[in-house]
């Protein structure tokens, strides 16, 4: 059918598919006005990171040995934040959890649902992002996830692929899809000397620049150097994780990685798919209610794939044997440093 049938009219007059979703309208507006400022900035990035660190902590392999393997997207990272934010890969999320907690408390939503919802609302502010999915009805965690289930930037590719495969039966291509998130991202705590240094030159836009720029030859550490999990950067101001560097160059993942540099439609389609799958980890999806029509529609992309100023094809380390690296225009002017993500 070409048009959506709206079945419920909310108290404020908004038409939605499901009446159960009406309560999310005010939560959305509270987040947009008082947390995100309708921007794809620091807080939106943090909300998206939180969705992942809650959801990925689930391990059927651990369960098979008789241990509790975590509940996936169950809110455990916020409910048991005193335990989980002390886990090494969750560095920085203690503050993020506390800044979101009052919003969760006044939302009336379950914690698990709130985390995935706030990540989707925040990401809707990023031009180029797909419209994400919002589902409610998850069961909140009754115990903390075990340590060791969140990937680290110093893990090798085998370890990372095995972790995604265990968590949700994700294959190597789907693992690349997850990393589209790093197009709207920065680091804060891996190297505090260069806090808020982004992973690509467009951290407020969900575009292919992350995939283009991670394929450039690294030339220097922009911060302290010698930190575990950090790789050399191709341009000043930009930060590269060792995990991103290696997944971009591994023969199992490199062609999928390269494809996202210039195929925005594919990027949107795959991220929409994988965000939904991530939010269902640990949950029977047939028990959930679809509230996706509460989410704002992200602004369209207004930029085209390009090399940063001063960069050419000679700076690329191509890693896909099947397909040549695409021909791209270079931004005009002298090389400039990538700006840090503005702090709240
Ligand atoms: Fe991520 C960030 C790692 C995946 C989202 N990360 C980040 C960082 C790191 C990482 C280290 C920085 C932190 C600080 O602050 O310092 N990741 C990682 C790894 C992996 C990942 C290793 C696997 C491979 N992510 C991911 C996913 C997602 C994400 C899947 C979603 C979905 N991240 C993110 C974000 C960010 C990050 C959004 C940013 C945050 C801010 O900015 O704040
Ligand atoms: Ca969890
Ligand atoms: Ca970007």
């Amino acid at each position: 059918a070409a048009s959506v049938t709206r079945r419920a009219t909310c108290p404020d007059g908004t038409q939605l598919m499901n009446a159960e979703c009406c309560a999310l309208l005010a939560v959305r507006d509270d987040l947009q006005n008082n947390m995100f400022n309708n921007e794809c900035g620091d807080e939106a990035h943090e909300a998206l990171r939180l969705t992942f660190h809650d959801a990925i902590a689930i391990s059927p392999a651990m369960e098979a040995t008789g241990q509790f393997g975590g509940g996936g997207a169950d809110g455990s990272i916020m409910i048991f934040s005193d335990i989980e934010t002390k886990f090494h890969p969750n560095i920085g999320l203690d503050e993020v959890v506390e800044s979101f907690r009052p919003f969760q408390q006044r939302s009336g939503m379950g914690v698990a649902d709130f985390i995935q919802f706030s990540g989707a609302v925040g990401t809707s502010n990023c031009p180029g992002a797909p419209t994400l999915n919002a589902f409610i009805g998850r069961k909140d965690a009754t115990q903390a996830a075990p340590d060791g289930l969140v990937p680290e930037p110093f893990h090798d590719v085998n370890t990372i692929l095995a972790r995604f495969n265990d968590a949700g039966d994700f294959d190597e291509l789907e693992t690349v899809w997850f990393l589209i998130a790093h197009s709207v991202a920065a680091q804060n705590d891996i190297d505090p000397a260069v806090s808020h240094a982004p992973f690509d030159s467009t951290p407020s836009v969900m575009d292919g620049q992350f995939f283009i720029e991670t394929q450039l030859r690294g030339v220097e550490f922009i911060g302290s150097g010698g930190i575990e999990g950090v790789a050399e950067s191709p341009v000043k101001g930009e930060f590269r994780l060792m995990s991103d560097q290696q997944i971009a160059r591994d023969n199992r993942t490199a062609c999928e990685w390269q494809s996202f540099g210039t195929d925005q439609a594919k990027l949107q389609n795959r991220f929409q798919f994988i965000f939904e799958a991530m939010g269902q980890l640990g949950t029977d999806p047939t028990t959930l209610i679809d509230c996706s029509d509460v989410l704002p529609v992200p602004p369209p992309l207004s930029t085209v794939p390009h090399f940063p100023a001063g960069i050419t094809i000679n700076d690329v380390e191509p890693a896909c044997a099947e397909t040549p690296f695409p021909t791209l225009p270079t931004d005009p002017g002298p090389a400039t440093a990538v700006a840090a993500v503005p702090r709240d």
Side-chain angles (χ1 to χ4, degrees):
S3 66
V4 176
T5 312
R6 306 284 178 169
R7 288 195 307 257
T9 302
C10 300
D12 74 347
T14 304
Q15 307 261 300
L16 296 176
M17 290 284 285
N18 292 300
E20 293 93 326
C21 305
C22 290
L24 272 59
L25 293 166
V27 185
R28 174 198 67 192
D29 294 343
D30 189 23
L31 285 164
Q32 284 290 59
N33 297 330
N34 304 314
M35 174 58 82
F36 301 132
N37 292 318
N38 301 291
E39 285 169 7
C40 180
D42 204 15
E43 294 87 355
H45 303 165
E46 287 168 344
L48 182 57
R49 182 174 176 230
L50 192 63
T51 64
F52 174 57
H53 289 239
D54 189 29
I56 198 66
I58 182 168
S59 174
M62 274 187 83
E63 290 280 343
T65 69
Q67 295 161 272
F68 176 61
D74 62 354
S76 64
I77 200 161
M78 190 177 251
I79 299 166
F80 298 100
S81 56
D82 51 335
I83 299 170
E84 290 193 31
T85 66
K86 293 195 179 73
F87 298 164
H88 189 266
N90 292 338
I91 186 164
L93 289 178
D94 48 346
E95 288 169 31
V96 174
V97 163
E98 292 322 316
S99 68
F100 280 94
R101 196 182 300 282
F103 289 81
Q104 185 278 321
Q105 285 172 339
R106 64 186 183 243
S107 73
M109 297 176 72
V111 180
D113 290 341
F114 174 84
I115 288 176
Q116 297 302 317
F117 182 67
S118 59
V121 172
T123 305
S124 77
N125 297 321
C126 307
T131 306
L132 293 177
N133 333 84
F135 290 90
I136 56 168
R138 296 172 187 80
K139 290 195 187 70
D140 276 352
T142 54
Q143 54 181 318
D147 197 359
L149 299 179
V150 181
E152 295 267 24
F154 50 82
H155 286 161
D156 63 23
V157 180
N158 286 342
T159 304
I160 291 171
L161 295 181
R163 181 76 277 280
F164 277 88
N165 192 259
D166 175 28
D169 217 10
F170 299 116
D171 66 16
E172 69 279 8
L173 303 186
E174 291 171 309
T175 301
V176 174
W177 304 354
F178 270 102
L179 283 162
I180 294 167
H182 280 182
S183 183
V184 288
Q187 74 85 30
N188 305 315
D189 297 294
I190 298 292
D191 186 349
V194 286
S195 180
H196 289 70
F199 298 151
D200 74 1
S201 59
T202 55
S204 59
V205 178
M206 187 174 272
D207 57 4
Q209 289 306 121
F210 169 70
F211 295 95
I212 294 169
E213 295 168 25
T214 46
Q215 213 70 60
L216 300 172
R217 190 173 303 111
V219 294
E220 63 175 350
F221 292 107
I222 61 163
S224 315
I227 297 174
E228 197 180 31
V230 181
E232 288 182 310
S233 300
V235 292
K236 290 194 189 311
E238 187 165 303
F239 199 87
R240 183 180 293 171
L241 298 175
M242 188 56 84
S243 47
D244 292 336
Q245 151 113 357
Q246 291 183 338
I247 297 169
R249 286 160 181 74
D250 189 282
N251 63 14
R252 292 164 290 183
T253 45
C255 290
E256 191 71 1
W257 194 276
Q258 179 178 292
S259 75
F260 287 124
T262 50
D263 193 343
Q264 184 69 18
K266 178 181 173 187
L267 182 152
Q268 293 187 334
N269 174 280
R270 300 303 189 272
F271 194 67
Q272 182 181 60
F273 173 89
I274 211 71
F275 183 84
E276 179 173 337
M278 180 176 76
Q280 294 174 349
L281 287 170
T283 297
D284 172 1
T286 64
T287 63
L288 301 178
I289 296 169
D290 189 349
C291 294
S292 301
D293 51 1
V294 171
L295 293 172
V297 176
L301 206 58
S302 57
T303 53
V304 294
H306 61 274
F307 289 128
I311 298 285
T312 71
I313 188 77
N314 297 326
D315 300 303
V316 174
E317 285 178 338
C320 172
E322 290 153 34
T323 316
F325 197 85
T327 303
L328 300 174
T330 293
D331 259 7
T336 49
V338 173
V341 172
R343 286 151 210 260
D344 3 332

